[in-house]
Amino acid sequence: MAMRCRVLLLLLLIVLGAVAGASSHPANEFCAAAGGGGDGCGGGGGDGRRILIKGGTVVNAHRVEEADVYVEDGVIVAVRPSIPVGDDNVKVIDATGKYVMPGGIDPHTHLEMEFMGTVTIDDFFSGHAAALAGGTTMHIDFVIPVNGNLTAGLESYKQKAGKSAMDYGFHMAITKWNDDVSREMESMVREHGINSFKFFMAYKGSLMVTDDLLLQGLQKCKSLGALAMVHAENGDAVAEGQQRMIDLGITGPEGHALSRPPVLEGEATARAIRLAKFVNTPLYVVHVMSIDAMDEIAKAKREGQRVIGEPVVSGLVLDDSWLWDPDFTIASKYVMSPPIREAGHNKALQAALSSGILQLVGTDHCTFNSTQKAFGSDDFRKIPNGVNGIEERMHIIWDSMVETGQISVSDYVRVTSTECAKIFNIYPRKGAILEGSDADIIILNPQKSFVMGAHTHHSRSNTNVYEGRKGKGMVEVTISRGRVVWEDGILNVVPGSGRYVRTPPYSYLFDGIEKSDAAYRASLRAPVQRGKAAA
C-alpha cells in the first residue's frame, strides 16, 4: 500500500507541476485519495462517512466541555459525553488529553494571484494542502478584477479554484469605479454569494483607489449589506517615500520598510475610519501591522464605531530586523505591505488581540519563491510583496498566545475561526463544534512540539519566514467536511474536492444601522423654515 501511495504521489505532482520552482514538499506527506481514505493514507478505519471522536476536550468560543463528537456525512450529528461506537463502520479517533476544536478559517489569502509581474507560487491545491496540514479548513481569498471588471475576475478565480481541496469563499477587490462596477457589485452579492469588497489605499498606479472612489464604494457596500474592507496605507506618500529612498541610494529590502513607515498606515486607517463613520457603515481593516493603525481602531471602537481590526501572524510575532540581513535572499523574503514593523509593534498587537481591540487573525498568505523575490535585487520596489502563513497560523497563535497565557483556549477558537465565521455570516455552519455544523474539526495535542521550515512545509515556496521557529501545540488530526485529511503526519487530499461557500449579506455588524441612521436624521433639526427676506 505504501508503494501505491508513493506512485499516486508521483503522478499527482507531475500532473500539477508542483515541483516547478519549488523544493519543499516532503515526499512522505502526500497521499491523494478520492474517497474516504485507506490504510497507509491517513484515513483508514470505517467507511469514510462516519467518525467518532472520543475522550477529548471540546472547545467552542462560548464554552469548553468534556464530550465526544459524532460525525456523519460531513456534518456534526452529536456532541455529548460517552457516545457509543455503534458498529464497525465508524472510524474512532481517541482524543484523550487533547483539544477538539473547529477548523481554522483564514480570512485573508492570495492564492494564484497575479501581482507585480508574476503569480503567487501557491495555487488552490498547494495552498489548501498547506492549510489543512496546519489545521485550517476554510479560507476566504481575494478576487482581483480583470481590468476593473468584477465578473471577469470572478470567472478567472472560479477556474483557479477548480484545484481546491477544501472549502473556500471569496472577497472582491474594487480597483476602479463606474456604473458598471456598481451594478456588478449588486450581482456579486445577490447572485454569487460575496458579501465583502476590498479597497486598496496603496499601490499607486495599479490597485490604489482615491478617496472619492472609496466614498462611493462605502456607500454602495452599505446599501447591499456588504462589508467594506481596506488595505490602509497612504499610497501617495508611499510613492514619495519610495523615491526618497532611491534618491538616497537605498535600494535593498530595508528600503521597503523605510519608505512606508507606520505613520502612513495610521493616517490611512484614520481616514478610512472617518469616511466609514460619515457613511455610517461597518469597516474591516485588513493586516493591521502597527501601533499607529491599532490605536486608530481602538479609538473608533471606544466611540462606538463598528470597526474590525485584523492582525496577521507575521505582524504578531516577527520584527523588521530581518530586512537588514546582508543576504538578499533572506532579507527579501520578509518584504510585504504594510511592512513587518520594528520590535515592539508585534507585542502591542498581541495585547490588542488579547483585549479584543483586534478581533481575528489572518495570514495575508501571498507567497513568492526566492527567484521571484530576486526580481527586485537592484530595486526594492520590484520585490514581489508577500509572505507565507496559511500552514503556520494555527500553531503560532497557540504557542505565542495560549501557551503564554495571553488568551484562553476558547479565545483561541474565537480569533482563529468563530469570529471570522460570524463576521462573514456563515456561523454556526462554520466556526463551531455544534450539532448541525459542518464537520470541519481539528484535534490539537497541547504537549506536542513543532519546528517550522521550508523543508517540511507544504507550500511550494522554497523559503519560509518562520524558518527554524519552534513551539508547543500541534494539530495532529484535521477533518474537512467529515473526511480525515491530515493524520499521523500524512495528507490525504485530492484536487477538485473543495467546495465554494457563499457568504450572505447583512452580518451582525449591520444590526441597528437603520436605527442609527434614523437617529442621525432626527438630530439634524433641519431644514429650517424661513420666510423670504424683504425686498
Side-chain angles (χ1 to χ4, degrees):
M1 188 64 188
M3 178 62 73
R4 187 173 72 180
C5 284
R6 285 194 290 271
V7 171
L8 285 170
L9 164 65
L10 180 60
L11 291 173
L12 180 61
L13 293 180
I14 291 172
V15 171
L16 295 174
V19 296
S23 60
S24 56
H25 281 301
N28 66 337
E29 290 188 352
F30 274 98
C31 185
D39 293 340
C41 290
D47 58 10
R49 295 175 48 246
R50 289 169 283 185
I51 300 170
L52 178 60
I53 305 170
K54 292 192 67 66
T57 300
V58 176
V59 185
N60 280 297
H62 65 285
R63 67 179 297 182
V64 180
E65 61 183 321
E66 302 299 320
D68 297 344
V69 179
Y70 178 61
V71 171
E72 190 167 310
D73 293 328
V75 176
I76 296 172
V77 175
V79 183
R80 65 176 187 270
S82 305
I83 299 175
V85 173
D87 60 60
D88 293 337
N89 285 325
V90 177
K91 176 180 174 64
V92 180
I93 301 175
D94 183 4
T96 303
K98 302 169 186 177
Y99 292 106
V100 181
M101 300 182 283
I105 307 174
D106 189 340
H108 189 153
T109 60
H110 299 282
L111 301 181
E112 202 171 332
M113 175 191 181
E114 298 175 16
F115 186 52
M116 297 184 71
T118 186
V119 181
T120 54
I121 199 72
D122 280 323
D123 62 15
F124 276 77
F125 180 68
S126 66
H128 285 186
L132 292 168
T136 288
T137 54
M138 181 180 169
H139 74 114
I140 310 179
D141 208 79
F142 287 91
V143 173
I144 307 300
V146 176
N147 297 322
N149 186 283
L150 311 191
T151 303
L154 180 60
E155 289 304 313
S156 172
Y157 272 74
K158 284 181 178 179
Q159 293 293 319
K160 296 174 183 181
K163 299 185 287 289
S164 65
M166 71 180 196
D167 287 1
Y168 62 94
F170 286 138
H171 309 291
M172 176 64 71
I174 303 296
T175 56
K176 72 174 186 179
W177 190 262
N178 54 38
D179 290 342
D180 290 338
V181 171
S182 179
R183 284 190 293 268
E184 283 189 297
M185 287 178 68
E186 297 175 13
S187 174
M188 292 299 120
V189 173
R190 295 167 182 166
E191 298 173 26
H192 299 291
I194 295 175
N195 72 358
S196 46
F197 296 90
K198 181 180 180 181
F199 301 86
F200 291 87
M201 301 172 76
Y203 301 118
K204 186 175 183 178
S206 57
L207 300 173
M208 176 180 158
V209 301
T210 55
D211 283 358
D212 60 332
L213 189 158
L214 176 58
L215 189 59
Q216 292 179 76
L218 290 169
Q219 292 169 333
K220 189 66 179 182
C221 284
K222 179 181 179 180
S223 73
L224 296 171
L227 184 57
M229 314 174 80
V230 289
H231 172 140
E233 289 183 287
N234 187 311
D236 290 318
V238 166
E240 174 65 24
Q242 289 176 327
Q243 189 58 53
R244 180 188 300 174
M245 293 303 111
I246 295 298
D247 291 343
L248 291 172
I250 302 172
T251 60
E254 69 278 9
H256 176 76
L258 294 171
S259 69
R260 47 209 315 152
V263 66
L264 301 188
E265 185 185 355
E267 185 279 331
T269 302
R271 182 159 35 102
I273 286 172
R274 283 158 176 76
L275 290 177
K277 184 175 183 178
F278 176 69
V279 175
N280 190 29
T281 195
L283 183 72
Y284 184 115
V285 184
V286 305
H287 48 42
V288 177
M289 298 293 285
S290 67
I291 294 172
D292 305 56
M294 180 267 290
D295 281 347
E296 295 294 341
I297 293 168
K299 178 183 176 183
K301 291 171 74 71
R302 285 195 301 268
E303 296 174 354
Q305 194 172 344
R306 300 178 189 192
V307 181
I308 301 295
E310 170 211 89
V312 292
V313 175
S314 54
L316 289 169
V317 300
L318 299 176
D319 63 59
D320 70 350
S321 59
W322 291 102
L323 291 168
W324 274 260
D325 194 285
D327 185 329
F328 175 85
T329 299
I330 293 174
S332 63
K333 72 180 179 180
Y334 292 91
V335 170
M336 65 174 292
S337 294
I340 297 167
R341 304 300 185 183
E342 63 182 348
H345 288 268
N346 48 6
K347 294 300 183 182
L349 293 175
Q350 287 184 27
L353 181 65
S354 66
S355 64
I357 294 170
L358 304 176
Q359 284 95 331
L360 73 169
V361 181
T363 62
D364 196 8
H365 184 87
C366 185
T367 49
F368 300 96
N369 63 20
S370 58
T371 300
Q372 293 170 303
K373 291 281 190 175
F375 294 166
S377 59
D378 297 321
D379 185 342
F380 68 83
R381 296 172 297 180
K382 298 178 182 178
I383 300 172
N385 291 193
V387 302
N388 60 289
I390 200 169
E391 183 168 356
E392 295 81 9
R393 178 183 71 127
M394 299 291 283
H395 293 125
I396 288 177
I397 297 304
W398 181 274
D399 181 63
S400 63
M401 300 294 289
V402 180
E403 283 294 318
T404 60
Q406 294 188 78
I407 61 174
S408 66
V409 292
S410 55
D411 280 338
Y412 173 79
V413 168
R414 176 178 57 81
V415 302
T416 61
S417 183
T418 306
E419 190 63 29
C420 183
K422 289 182 176 181
I423 289 169
F424 296 103
N425 219 9
I426 53 175
Y427 179 88
R429 175 185 175 187
K430 301 291 187 183
I433 304 291
L434 297 172
E435 293 181 7
S437 297
D438 285 356
D440 292 343
I441 302 169
I442 62 172
I443 301 175
L444 185 144
N445 185 342
Q447 302 304 319
K448 192 170 183 179
S449 298
F450 60 81
V451 181
M452 295 176 172
H455 293 294
T456 55
H457 70 196
H458 296 79
S459 166
R460 289 181 180 161
S461 177
N462 62 349
T463 67
N464 188 315
V465 294
Y466 308 103
E467 189 69 44
R469 186 181 183 91
K470 299 178 181 179
K472 192 176 180 182
M474 185 75 176
V475 174
E476 292 187 330
V477 178
T478 303
I479 298 170
S480 174
R481 282 192 287 118
R483 191 165 67 89
V484 176
V485 292
W486 171 253
E487 187 178 26
D488 298 326
I490 297 173
L491 269 172
N492 177 18
V493 293
V494 59
S497 60
R499 179 180 59 183
Y500 176 63
V501 177
R502 298 171 66 92
T503 53
Y506 293 103
S507 74
Y508 79 91
L509 293 169
F510 285 86
D511 292 349
I513 289 288
E514 291 182 359
K515 290 182 180 180
S516 59
D517 279 344
Y520 163 74
R521 289 191 294 269
S523 72
L524 296 178
R525 298 182 294 115
V528 175
Q529 300 299 318
R530 295 181 175 89
K532 293 184 179 180

